Amino acid sequence: DIQMTQSPSSLSASVGDRVTITCQASQDISNFLNWYQQKPGKAPKLLIYDASNLETGVPSRFSGSGSGTDFTFTISSLQPEDIATYYCQQYDNLPRLTFGGGTKVEIK
Amino acid sequence: EVQLVESGGVVVQPGGSLRLSCAASGFTFDDYIMHWVRQTPGKGLEWVSVISWDGGSTYYADSVKGRFTISRDNSKNSLYLQMNSLRTEDTALYYCVKDRYPRVQGVLDYWGQGTLVTVSS
């Protein structure tokens, strides 16, 4: 199975800061990588699909990049409503999907 | 508006059985692959099972293979998960999840609110 390693596991940043989360796959997954946001008590929400495509309705301060084994998720200017846990997920090894361990983002 | 509403989560003893249901609305249900994904505080998000648009193909995580069965009734716009031989490690919030593209797997664009399964004596 493909393992997804996310880092950091948590971070604290100030409003307006640029926030970056990385996700590393244990093998080449091309661009078959999605990012989700999960706010406390809520279900996950799709933000980025195919590594860099912004889901409809998602603010443009969110972005994703990368291919192969190394991927990056960025919030260009952190807002209070972005407090959440963020997960990456691969879908190269179908039918099995695997998620990263999550990154909890807090406001400093 | 897409809606996925799970039900059936309860407290059950180890070795017991349970059937989860998911009522879908707001999209053409029989066009889409559907999944069950679970979440525990200790292990994060774990994909459990997937079923093809017509129910003809099913796949499972190794952790539940042989114990869980996914099924669907397209006439009722419903997804199911039959859970047998339950273990304490199956305790989790179970989500019903829809794929983004018709008949293509991998991008999970709508999630239900989840139903809590607790396996405990």
Side-chain angles (χ1 to χ4, degrees):
Chain A
D1 282 2
I2 298 175
Q3 309 302 317
M4 305 302 294
T5 304
Q6 253 183 269
S7 62
S9 57
S10 66
L11 65 89
S12 181
S14 300
V15 172
D17 281 355
R18 183 181 186 87
V19 168
T20 299
I21 299 168
T22 64
C23 183
Q24 186 171 58
S26 59
Q27 64 189 66
D28 190 332
I29 60 169
S30 184
N31 68 330
F32 299 126
L33 190 283
N34 306 317
W35 290 95
Y36 300 87
Q37 175 193 64
Q38 185 176 33
K39 294 185 177 182
K42 300 294 186 181
K45 174 187 175 183
L46 177 67
L47 297 184
I48 304 283
Y49 63 96
D50 297 347
S52 60
N53 293 313
L54 197 65
E55 176 69 330
T56 304
V58 174
S60 59
R61 64 180 180 274
F62 297 100
S63 65
S65 64
S67 66
T69 60
D70 295 305
F71 301 86
T72 300
F73 173 81
T74 301
I75 307 173
S76 60
S77 176
L78 186 67
Q79 300 301 304
E81 59 267 32
D82 300 335
I83 299 314
T85 300
Y86 294 84
Y87 294 93
C88 62
Q89 171 245 319
Q90 70 79 25
Y91 63 104
D92 179 66
N93 184 32
L94 294 177
R96 290 173 176 77
L97 311 179
T98 50
F99 294 87
T103 297
K104 187 174 184 179
V105 174
E106 298 176 319
I107 296 287
K108 193 181 294 183
Chain B
E1 179 194 5
V2 172
Q3 285 198 316
L4 299 169
V5 180
E6 303 94 336
S7 61
V10 292
V11 178
V12 61
Q13 291 190 339
S17 297
L18 200 56
R19 189 196 199 202
L20 305 183
S21 299
C22 171
S25 60
F27 64 103
T28 306
F29 183 70
D30 58 9
D31 268 351
Y32 290 86
I33 294 167
M34 298 293 295
H35 304 254
W36 289 99
V37 174
R38 67 186 181 184
Q39 185 169 32
T40 62
K43 293 185 70 176
L45 292 167
E46 180 186 17
W47 173 81
V48 172
S49 183
V50 61
I51 187 166
S52 61
W53 58 276
D54 62 353
S57 297
T58 59
Y59 299 94
Y60 302 91
D62 289 343
S63 58
V64 307
K65 195 181 300 182
R67 300 187 299 120
F68 290 11
T69 302
I70 190 172
S71 62
R72 65 192 295 163
D73 185 337
N74 288 344
S75 68
K76 295 182 178 179
N77 287 353
S78 293
L79 178 71
Y80 306 101
L81 186 67
Q82 178 67 42
M83 309 165 70
N84 298 332
S85 302
L86 282 161
R87 305 168 180 169
T88 54
E89 55 264 37
D90 295 320
T91 294
L93 186 64
Y94 284 75
Y95 291 105
C96 168
V97 190
K98 168 189 170 292
D99 255 299
R100 189 176 195 272
Y101 300 103
R103 307 186 185 188
V104 175
Q105 183 188 351
V107 181
L108 309 176
D109 69 340
Y110 282 94
W111 300 58
Q113 285 305 300
T115 187
L116 183 61
V117 173
T118 303
V119 184
S120 174
S121 55

